[in-house]
Amino acid sequence: MKKPNRTAFTIATLSLAAALSMGLPHAAFAASATASVAWQAASADADIDKAFAQAKAEKKPVLLYWGAKWCPPCNQLKATLFNRQDFIEQTQAIVPVHIDGDSPGAQKLGTRFKVRGYPTMILFSADGREITRLPGEIDAPQVIKVLQLGLAGGRPVGDVLADAKAGKKLSANEWRLLGFYSWETGESQLVPAAELPALLSQLAGASQGVDAETTTRLWLKAVAANNDGKGGLKVDAKLNELVHQVLASPAESRAQMDVLTNGAGDIVKTLTPEAGAARSKLIAAFEVALKRLEADASLSRADRLGALGARVDLARLDVAKTELAPKLNPALVKEVKDAAAKADREITDGYERQAVISSAAHWLGQAGQWKDSDELLKSSLAKSHSPYYLMSQLGGNAKKQGRKDEALRWYEDSFNKSEGPATRLQWGSGYVAALTELAPQDAARIEKTAAQLFSEAAQDKGSFYERSARSLQRVGSSLQKWNADGKHDASIARLKTQLDGICSKVDTADKQRATCEGLLKAPGKKA
């Protein structure tokens, strides 16, 4: 399993204590037993059009939430933000729309709204213009403040960005809209990913003197997005000083918690490319700030665990990513084990467990505690409403440790028990990739699994859109790599014949048929 995206894994790690820190009463944030967000389920264009028609008639914005049953941060949203009374009350002034990634037309809608990762939250004006993508990595009061900017008649973020780049004057609220825009789920709509560090640094400079917190956030995000120093961001003493200042200040580091925990390693590598005194000093400053965040009761359990995970990241900074048994400080290792055990012992809410346990298991593995990671995941299977997610993580653990047969058993089980058309294609593509890598000699098993996935894809009209299309493309890539030497031409030919029959019935709209026909296209040849 890949390292979790902590931006995503903290998208809803929002705590009651954070709300209390604003000086508001407990009752204001505890939803009643019957209160809930009045989500309108959408699975087709007609559902979306109906929601926007209602929004226009009622002069309300639309809040679009895109998620999936198994997705850890989506579960954290259900456990926290969506249950908060203040959030529920805010949505009364909005038309809230929920797209389940496994509903019939969900993946086509994903293409329409350019959403790829679960979860994504987008605020639209009544006429369908995107006001902003809500950042989930920040805590609840900040999410709600950004939401309020939109409710107060905020301009579409694209217009605001265009004015900022043109040097036009923006209000403090508009700068905050840019500072808190969810660039991580923006899908490069506003700017190509490679250009993001330069853009963020440009915005940081232009916002100077308007809102200090926003300016700091933009600088930190620019540094964190700099791709190990490859993003072209100019680093100078002033920028180094700013980061040290934030780390030293309890108030500033708390305000920038999400960027510091999600981007600790990237920030350190950008500011101090080489190991040495400067890097050691910066890591020491991070240690102090991250430990303070770990102990901050106003943060959720997942955010505190994220701060601990950032410390593990920094401890592994000069360790090979493939190293299974890193020599870390024993005290840090003990902290990771204790935090995982405590989470396992104390979390009873099923949604929160789905979010936190998978993350805790990851950090155990990163700390070299693979036995503990496996045991935590196995003991959580019966407590999870989507155990196949944890099974795939167990498969990843076994694969990393060289236990091929065990890895394949977990990957197979996770695929067999997965639910929903998009989810099954995603888990099935992972199983095919594992088979072609770990058991390339088992041609019959590989062909049978691929054929099953193609058959399932034929039953769902959304199979050649968005996440489902990428899952199928992964299957095609795995098969082509497996047959690079031509030893499995017969299997590929049979699969190609099956696929040709499927593709002939696929709609030509939105390049769906072209996507289908390209799955097993040989490199350099036309479909």
Side-chain angles (χ1 to χ4, degrees):
M1 179 176 173
K2 294 181 179 179
K3 169 183 172 181
N5 181 328
R6 276 178 280 130
T7 291
F9 270 64
T10 55
I11 191 161
T13 54
L14 314 170
S15 67
L16 176 61
L20 293 174
S21 71
M22 297 177 69
L24 297 173
H26 184 287
F29 296 91
S32 70
T34 57
S36 62
V37 178
W39 295 108
Q40 296 185 21
S43 60
D45 287 324
D47 300 323
I48 295 294
D49 294 341
K50 179 181 178 182
F52 275 107
Q54 176 187 339
K56 189 172 183 179
E58 298 177 2
K59 298 181 180 179
K60 291 181 177 180
V62 172
L63 177 64
L64 178 71
Y65 160 59
W66 154 278
K69 177 182 177 181
W70 52 265
C71 145
C74 304
N75 280 273
Q76 192 70 11
L77 277 171
K78 296 172 186 175
T80 53
L81 179 63
F82 291 169
N83 284 333
R84 288 173 55 100
Q85 189 60 37
D86 55 343
F87 180 78
I88 293 170
E89 290 175 358
Q90 288 284 355
T91 61
Q92 292 175 7
I94 298 171
V95 177
V97 177
H98 171 217
I99 302 175
D100 182 328
D102 279 303
S103 61
Q107 298 306 315
K108 181 179 179 181
L109 290 176
T111 299
R112 173 174 173 176
F113 293 113
K114 296 182 175 62
V115 290
R116 310 187 100 194
Y118 301 140
T120 296
M121 292 187 291
I122 311 177
L123 185 65
F124 293 94
S125 62
D127 61 2
R129 300 190 70 191
E130 182 173 320
I131 297 174
T132 192
R133 299 203 171 203
L134 296 176
E137 66 271 21
I138 58 178
D139 61 3
Q142 290 174 312
V143 171
I144 292 170
K145 284 180 181 179
V146 175
L147 183 58
Q148 288 172 337
L149 291 177
L151 293 177
R155 292 193 296 148
V157 67
D159 293 348
V160 176
L161 178 61
D163 284 352
K165 291 171 70 175
K168 296 182 180 180
K169 185 177 180 179
L170 303 183
S171 68
N173 281 346
E174 288 175 328
W175 278 118
R176 289 184 66 81
L177 190 70
L178 293 176
F180 285 94
Y181 179 75
S182 183
W183 301 98
E184 294 79 8
T185 61
E187 308 303 345
S188 300
Q189 290 190 89
L190 298 181
V191 60
E195 298 174 16
L196 184 56
L199 172 64
L200 291 172
S201 62
Q202 177 189 350
L203 295 177
S207 66
Q208 200 79 32
V210 180
D211 183 89
E213 182 181 324
T214 298
T215 298
T216 297
R217 171 169 289 271
L218 287 166
W219 277 123
L220 290 175
K221 280 189 166 288
V223 177
N226 200 40
N227 190 23
D228 296 351
K230 302 172 186 176
L233 179 67
K234 182 180 179 181
V235 175
D236 55 21
K238 189 175 181 180
L239 189 52
N240 267 287
E241 182 182 348
L242 173 66
V243 174
H244 277 279
Q245 174 188 315
V246 172
L247 294 172
S249 167
E252 290 191 53
S253 57
R254 174 62 179 81
Q256 308 293 348
M257 170 276 302
D258 52 300
V259 191
L260 296 178
T261 56
N262 294 338
D266 294 317
I267 291 172
V268 169
K269 284 185 284 188
T270 292
L271 296 181
T272 58
E274 304 295 335
R279 173 174 284 191
S280 296
K281 181 181 178 181
L282 182 55
I283 289 177
F286 256 105
E287 272 283 299
V288 173
L290 291 170
K291 284 183 178 180
R292 195 166 55 232
L293 292 173
E294 282 181 65
D296 191 337
S298 74
L299 290 172
S300 70
R301 190 193 309 272
D303 281 335
R304 297 196 299 272
L305 182 62
L308 177 58
R311 292 174 58 205
V312 175
D313 267 353
L314 293 177
R316 291 188 58 116
L317 208 57
D318 295 314
V319 176
K321 292 182 179 180
T322 55
E323 177 59 61
L324 297 179
K327 295 180 180 179
L328 306 184
N329 186 321
L332 176 59
V333 174
K334 184 177 185 302
E335 281 190 61
V336 176
K337 295 181 68 171
D338 289 348
K342 184 177 182 181
D344 185 32
R345 185 172 61 250
E346 294 182 355
I347 299 176
T348 58
D349 181 87
Y351 293 136
E352 187 181 10
R353 284 193 68 88
Q354 187 72 7
V356 175
I357 293 302
S358 54
S359 185
H362 168 76
W363 295 120
L364 283 169
Q366 287 298 96
Q369 307 305 298
W370 295 101
K371 181 179 179 182
D372 294 89
S373 179
D374 287 342
E375 289 178 352
L376 177 61
L377 292 168
K378 289 175 183 177
S379 68
S380 298
L381 290 174
K383 303 174 185 178
S384 173
H385 58 65
S386 303
Y388 49 87
Y389 185 90
L390 306 182
M391 290 174 182
S392 63
Q393 195 168 355
L394 281 162
N397 280 4
K399 177 184 173 182
K400 289 175 183 176
Q401 297 172 78
R403 302 196 301 268
K404 295 183 180 181
D405 290 343
E406 180 184 344
L408 288 175
R409 285 196 299 273
W410 282 120
Y411 283 129
E412 182 177 22
D413 284 347
S414 68
F415 169 51
N416 288 338
K417 295 182 180 179
S418 61
E419 303 170 334
T423 293
R424 285 191 57 75
L425 290 181
Q426 184 173 339
W427 259 250
S429 71
Y431 180 36
V432 169
L435 280 171
T436 57
E437 179 181 352
L438 303 180
Q441 74 286 352
D442 198 343
R445 190 178 177 188
I446 291 170
E447 183 180 342
K448 178 182 178 181
T449 305
Q452 180 182 345
L453 283 175
F454 291 157
S455 294
E456 290 190 21
Q459 304 305 311
D460 178 23
K461 292 184 178 180
S463 293
F464 299 96
Y465 285 107
E466 207 40 68
R467 292 176 68 98
S468 292
R470 294 199 302 278
S471 294
L472 290 168
Q473 286 167 342
R474 184 185 183 192
V475 173
S477 296
S478 296
L479 291 172
Q480 289 181 353
K481 184 177 180 180
W482 173 60
N483 190 45
D485 56 7
K487 291 182 179 179
H488 307 291
D489 279 346
S491 290
I492 297 298
R494 286 189 291 270
L495 290 170
K496 184 69 166 60
T497 297
Q498 178 192 6
L499 197 58
D500 287 343
I502 295 171
C503 295
S504 65
K505 300 176 183 178
V506 173
D507 198 328
T508 57
D510 302 321
K511 300 181 179 180
Q512 287 187 86
R513 184 176 295 180
T515 298
C516 181
E517 293 172 342
L519 295 182
L520 287 179
K521 182 180 69 174
K525 294 183 179 180
K526 296 183 179 181

